[in-house]
Amino acid sequence: MDYQQAQDFLAAHRQSHLLKYYETLSPEQQTCLLKQIDGLDLDRPQFRDLSALEQKRGKFEPLGALTLEEIKKDAARYREIGLEAIRTGKVGAVLLAGGQGSRLGFTHPKGMFNIGKTRNLYIFECLIENLKRVTDEAGAYVPLLIMTSKDNDAETRAFFQTHHYFGYSAGHVLFFQQETEPAIAENGKILMKSPSEIVLTPNGNGGWFSSMQRAGLLKKINEFGVEWLNVFAVDNVLQQIADPLFIGATIASGCISGSKVVSKAAPDERVGVLCLEDGKPSIVEYYEMTEEMRTLRNADGTLAYRFGVILNYLFRVDALMKTLGSDFPLHVAHKKIPYLGEDGKTLIHPEAPNAYKFETLVLDMVHMQESCLAFEVDRSKEFAPVKNATGVDSVETAQALLEQNGVVL
Ligand code: UTP
C-alpha cells in the first residue's frame, strides 16, 4: 500500500488522522506506518458501530457437575485414566499469559510477579511447580505451550531462560504470540501511540488456538500425538495443571471438553457460571443472570446455577480444529489506554477509562463444543486468583491461600 492508497482507504473509513504526522517521519517509519495501515480491516463492525457487537444470548438452562463427592468415589479410576493419557503423550497444556494485567498494576508479565514473602516465588514458578508434581508422578513431560503478547513476549521468554524453566524440561516449553487488535477512542478514532505507531492491544484469550496454529505449533502438537489440551490462566497460583483426575474424568465421561468449576459461595457471587445455552455448553456471566436465575434452587436446596468457572478447561484437539475459521464474538472492554497527545510528542496516561479494546474470550470456545463435563474442585485448594493489588482476588488473598495449602512463602 502506498501513501495515496492509504490516504484514500483511511478517508473512506474516517480514520485519516493516522497519517497526520506522515511528513515528519523517516522513510523507515513511513514504511512501517503504511504496513500497519495495510493490515487494518476497517470494514469490521467495531470500526462502524459498537452496538453491532452486542451479543444475542439464547435460552439458558442449568447444567449439573460431577461433584466433589462423586469424583472421590471414582478417584482411583479417573487418576489412572488421566495418568495413562499423560504417559502416552496425549496431553498438552496451554498457559494463557498474553493479558495486560492492568488491574494488578505490575509493569512486567504477570507471571513474573513475585508472590513470595521471605523468598522469591514467582507466579510462573508456582505454576511450573504444580505441573511438575503431575509430570513427576506420571514419569513423562507434558508439552507446555505459553501464549504471550507482542508486548510481553521477549520478557517472558528471557525470564524462563534465566530461571532455567524452573526445573521443567526446556524442550517441552513452546512459546507463541497472540494476535492484536487496534484500540479506539470513545469517538471511534483509532488511537496512536507515536506518530508512526497505532495502539495495538492483545486480542483476548479466545484467539489462543488460531494463534497457536499460525505459529506452526498445531502441526507440532499433532506430530507429538497430543489429543487433549488443558488451557489455563496465568493468575491462579493454586492452578492444578494437567490434573490426572480431571483428564481421566473427562475422558471417562465421553464429553469432548471439560471445565473445572467451583461451587458458588453465594447467589450474587461475581463469577461466570457453566450452563446450557440453547442446549449447548455455555458460560453465563454474573451480570447477564436474571434475579430468578441467580436464586433458582434445585429440589435439594442447592443453587441451580451453581458452578462457577475458574478458567481451567480441557479441549479435544480434533474438536478445536473444527472451530478454526469460525467467527468468535468480539467483546468490548472500556479501559485506560495510553495514547499520543495533540502535540504529537507526549504519551498521555489517562486516569480513567478513555478507550475501547476488543477481545475474543476462551469461554466462547466452550459454546462451540458439543458437550462439556463440569468437574467440581475445592476452591480453597485450587482457586487463588491474583487479579488486583489489594482487596478481593489480590496478592494478599492468594498468599493466604497458598500458605493454607502448605506453600512456604
Ligand atoms: P484477564 O481477563 O484477567 O485479563 O485474563 P488481564 O489482561 O490478564 O488482566 P486485566 O483485566 O488487565 O487486569 C485472564 C487470563 O487470560 C489471559 C491472561 O493472561 C490471564 O491468564 N489473557 C487475557 C490472554 O492471554 N490474552 C489476553 O488478551 C487477555
Side-chain angles (χ1 to χ4, degrees):
M1 180 179 269
D2 63 22
Y3 176 72
Q4 189 56 50
Q5 287 167 327
Q7 214 176 22
D8 296 345
F9 171 63
L10 294 176
H13 295 89
R14 296 199 299 279
Q15 301 286 355
S16 300
H17 65 288
L18 299 182
L19 288 171
K20 186 171 169 192
Y21 306 103
Y22 189 80
E23 299 303 337
T24 67
L25 304 177
S26 68
E28 293 76 34
Q29 288 171 321
Q30 289 181 338
T31 310
C32 170
L33 179 60
L34 291 179
K35 201 167 158 214
Q36 291 168 66
I37 294 169
D38 195 22
L40 296 173
D41 181 357
L42 297 179
D43 287 324
R44 291 189 307 152
Q46 73 263 41
F47 301 113
R48 285 183 275 118
D49 175 15
L50 284 189
S51 64
L53 299 181
E54 267 167 37
Q55 279 186 72
K56 286 196 187 54
R57 302 302 299 253
K59 182 174 176 288
F60 291 118
E61 285 169 280
L63 177 66
L66 195 63
T67 60
L68 288 172
E69 301 82 68
E70 288 166 330
I71 295 166
K72 208 168 164 189
K73 275 189 227 146
D74 253 334
R77 184 168 71 95
Y78 293 151
R79 178 170 291 281
E80 202 32 58
I81 298 173
L83 285 173
E84 183 58 16
I86 294 170
R87 275 188 214 111
T88 49
K90 295 197 172 111
V91 180
V94 182
L95 164 55
L96 302 175
Q100 291 179 303
S102 54
R103 282 169 289 173
L104 182 62
F106 182 59
T107 52
H108 303 281
K110 211 188 232 186
M112 284 173 59
F113 188 84
N114 185 356
I115 197 148
K117 288 178 176 174
T118 61
R119 64 175 181 125
N120 291 335
L121 180 63
Y122 304 101
I123 291 182
F124 281 138
E125 187 175 6
C126 265
L127 299 176
I128 297 290
E129 287 298 324
N130 296 349
L131 176 58
K132 272 200 309 200
R133 268 198 299 280
V134 173
T135 54
D136 284 352
E137 185 183 358
Y141 281 111
V142 164
L144 174 64
L145 298 105
I146 302 181
M147 181 167 85
T148 61
S149 71
K150 184 170 152 283
D151 291 337
N152 72 18
D153 186 78
E155 210 178 352
T156 305
R157 287 174 194 249
F159 191 70
F160 269 89
Q161 222 168 18
T162 308
H163 292 274
H164 308 289
Y165 298 81
F166 300 104
Y168 204 66
S169 154
H172 287 84
V173 180
L174 303 159
F175 295 89
F176 66 101
Q177 264 186 52
Q178 72 176 94
E179 316 293 308
T180 52
E181 283 283 352
I184 61 171
E186 286 164 350
N187 62 6
K189 302 286 181 203
I190 294 174
L191 291 176
M192 298 199 78
K193 119 173 149 186
S194 77
S196 62
E197 282 170 295
I198 289 169
V199 174
L200 295 171
T201 53
N203 67 346
N205 55 29
W208 66 271
F209 192 66
S210 52
S211 299
M212 213 180 96
Q213 184 212 24
R214 224 157 299 161
L217 296 187
L218 177 56
K219 194 166 164 270
K220 207 160 200 161
I221 62 155
N222 277 331
E223 282 164 10
F224 288 166
V226 170
E227 291 177 10
W228 293 91
L229 286 173
N230 179 207
V231 182
F232 61 99
V234 70
D235 44 27
N236 172 10
V237 284
L238 283 180
Q239 190 87 255
Q240 300 306 302
I241 304 150
D243 175 359
L245 270 183
F246 178 39
I247 297 165
T250 307
I251 294 175
S253 73
C255 288
I256 60 167
S257 67
S259 169
K260 287 203 166 186
V261 293
V262 293
S263 218
K264 273 170 67 166
D268 56 357
E269 191 182 345
R270 294 168 151 237
V271 57
V273 168
L274 191 65
C275 62
L276 291 175
E277 180 184 351
D278 295 335
K280 286 181 71 183
S282 188
I283 287 138
V284 56
E285 293 287 5
Y286 67 90
Y287 53 80
E288 294 176 309
M289 285 173 78
T290 59
E291 187 58 18
E292 194 195 342
M293 284 169 81
R294 267 195 285 269
T295 52
L296 187 70
R297 296 203 177 252
N298 298 315
D300 64 1
T302 54
L303 288 171
Y305 290 92
R306 172 178 157 199
F307 296 108
V309 289
I310 60 169
L311 219 175
N312 189 319
Y313 300 107
L314 191 64
F315 291 106
R316 233 170 66 183
V317 177
D318 58 352
L320 286 175
M321 284 171 54
K322 294 186 193 143
T323 69
L324 284 172
S326 318
D327 269 338
F328 275 70
L330 212 51
H331 299 259
V332 186
H334 196 210
K335 294 266 177 179
K336 289 188 259 182
I337 302 181
Y339 62 99
L340 182 67
E342 278 301 305
D343 63 1
K345 292 192 181 97
T346 326
L347 188 67
I348 316 269
H349 291 268
E351 306 222 320
N354 63 311
Y356 299 105
K357 72 175 201 176
F358 302 95
E359 301 186 320
T360 57
L361 302 180
V362 65
L363 54 83
D364 286 316
M365 199 174 251
V366 174
H367 192 45
M368 294 177 181
Q369 310 302 312
E370 285 307 319
S371 54
C372 181
L373 175 75
F375 179 92
E376 189 185 8
V377 298
D378 180 343
R379 70 162 65 206
S380 65
K381 296 199 179 116
E382 296 204 22
F383 192 43
V386 182
K387 296 283 183 194
N388 306 300
T390 54
V392 180
D393 295 342
S394 64
V395 175
E396 288 153 34
T397 55
Q399 282 174 330
L401 281 159
L402 279 171
E403 283 175 331
Q404 204 175 300
N405 281 278
V407 179
V408 177
L409 299 178

